[in-house]
């Protein structure tokens, strides 16, 4: 089975706070890919990052960072010093050969950043 | 490059009417997908295509048909719309290799009354 769980339905923070969005995945495959997408209020889906199962190095891009831990099947996303423009729905997704390389999405986390 | 485009952006249908949603990509991607997004449920795969002339069912295919007559276009049809098909529809495309990133269109809002 292939599954992505984003347990946090909604998070509210005040501007400049750090916030972490959790993502837990399930797959039997040893080769898989994890993704994060952002959906701002305008509605489009914006690709943020892709990580393959063989690369557990954490990644930082500006205020964004991602922590991939195979031992806990997690791929968490942290925004440092959050800004109002970070307000969006964030989706974690998984693809693997087991599932024909199709994407399976989590339900999404709504992030509200207040000024 | 326009990337992935979708037509129309918004549509209102009456129950039983039919319509076709058009997705076009200019990135020469082999794979194309149709998803629907409903509140609290993330995106669910309706149908997909691994190349021109081929289509396959996804997670929620009932009530929809698709066609991929040209590599750059992927059509989603609703033969007899139902209120349960009220949703936001997204098209996506990606290159052939496994694990490649899917790039999404801007979405189509469909309201079925």
């Amino acid at each position: 089975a292939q599954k992505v769980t984003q347990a946090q339905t909604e998070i509210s923070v005040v501007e400049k706070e750090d916030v972490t969005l959790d993502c837990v995945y399930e797959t039997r495959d040893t080769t898989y890919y994890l993704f994060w997408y952002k959906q701002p209020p305008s509605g489009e889906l914006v690709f943020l990052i892709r990580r393959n199962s063989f690369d557990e190095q954490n990644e930082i891009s500006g205020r964004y960072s991602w922590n991939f831990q195979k031992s806990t099947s997690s791929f968490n996303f942290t925004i440092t010093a959050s800004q109002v423009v970070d307000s969006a729905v964030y989706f974690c997704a998984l693809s693997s050969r087991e599932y024909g390389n199709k994407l399976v999405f989590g339900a999404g986390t709504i992030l509200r950043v207040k000024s | 490059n326009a990337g992935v485009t979708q037509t129309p952006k918004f549509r209102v249908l009456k129950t039983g009417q039919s319509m076709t949603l058009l997705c076009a990509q200019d990135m020469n991607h082999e794979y194309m997908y149709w998803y629907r997004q409903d509140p609290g449920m993330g995106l669910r795969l309706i149908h997909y295509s691994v190349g021109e002339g081929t289509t396959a069912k996804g997670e929620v295919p009932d009530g929809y048909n698709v066609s991929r007559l040209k590599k750059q276009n992927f059509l989603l049809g609703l033969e007899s719309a139902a209120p349960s098909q009220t949703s936001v529809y997204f098209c996506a495309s990606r290159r052939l290799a496994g694990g490649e990133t899917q790039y999404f269109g801007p979405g189509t809002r469909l309201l079925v009354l």
Side-chain angles (χ1 to χ4, degrees):
Chain A
Q2 184 163 288
K3 186 179 178 182
V4 175
T5 301
Q6 294 180 256
Q8 304 150 309
T9 304
E10 187 170 335
I11 302 174
S12 288
V13 299
V14 177
E15 215 171 10
K16 298 184 183 178
E17 285 185 12
D18 298 347
V19 58
T20 295
L21 310 181
D22 298 332
C23 173
V24 174
Y25 62 91
E26 294 177 32
T27 179
R28 292 176 298 188
D29 214 330
T30 56
T31 301
Y32 53 89
Y33 299 83
L34 295 161
F35 303 81
W36 276 95
Y37 286 86
K38 174 182 180 180
Q39 187 175 41
S42 51
E44 73 272 23
L45 281 155
V46 179
F47 165 71
L48 294 178
I49 189 172
R50 178 185 75 163
R51 176 66 63 189
N52 73 55
S53 54
F54 299 111
D55 183 2
E56 284 193 75
Q57 277 195 331
N58 291 332
E59 179 147 344
I60 298 174
S61 176
R63 296 184 296 105
Y64 294 174
S65 63
W66 290 269
N67 182 6
F68 176 30
Q69 290 196 336
K70 289 176 75 171
S71 60
T72 56
S73 297
S74 65
F75 187 44
N76 296 337
F77 173 30
T78 297
I79 302 175
T80 303
S82 60
Q83 300 176 1
V84 173
V85 293
D86 295 327
S87 296
V89 183
Y90 291 87
F91 292 98
C92 181
L94 165 70
S95 75
S96 73
R97 286 181 299 189
E98 172 196 17
Y99 196 57
N101 290 307
K102 298 188 288 290
L103 270 181
V104 172
F105 284 83
T109 296
I110 301 170
L111 175 63
R112 302 189 197 279
V113 182
K114 303 175 183 177
S115 59
Chain B
N1 285 349
V4 181
T5 58
Q6 294 182 230
T7 309
K9 289 184 170 52
F10 176 69
R11 184 77 183 267
V12 179
L13 287 179
K14 294 182 180 178
T15 296
Q17 287 185 319
S18 63
M19 78 163 295
T20 300
L21 283 64
L22 170 64
C23 175
Q25 52 95 5
D26 62 3
M27 297 176 283
N28 202 34
H29 285 172
E30 287 79 10
Y31 282 62
M32 296 187 75
Y33 303 83
W34 275 107
Y35 294 88
R36 59 178 290 172
Q37 182 181 20
D38 301 295
M41 299 187 73
L43 278 78
R44 293 181 293 168
L45 182 63
I46 304 171
H47 285 282
Y48 64 102
S49 169
V50 302
E52 184 177 324
T54 69
T55 63
K57 294 180 180 180
E59 182 185 358
V60 288
D62 294 342
Y64 305 95
N65 57 74
V66 289
S67 64
R68 182 109 180 259
L69 299 180
K70 294 182 179 180
K71 185 177 184 179
Q72 63 268 34
N73 295 338
F74 195 29
L75 305 179
L76 178 70
L78 286 74
E79 290 186 351
S80 179
S84 61
Q85 294 178 304
T86 293
S87 189
V88 181
Y89 292 86
F90 285 96
C91 176
S93 70
R94 70 167 177 90
R95 292 187 298 181
L96 179 62
E100 288 291 325
T101 300
Q102 289 188 24
Y103 294 94
F104 285 81
T108 295
R109 285 189 180 276
L110 177 64
L111 175 61
V112 183
L113 302 175

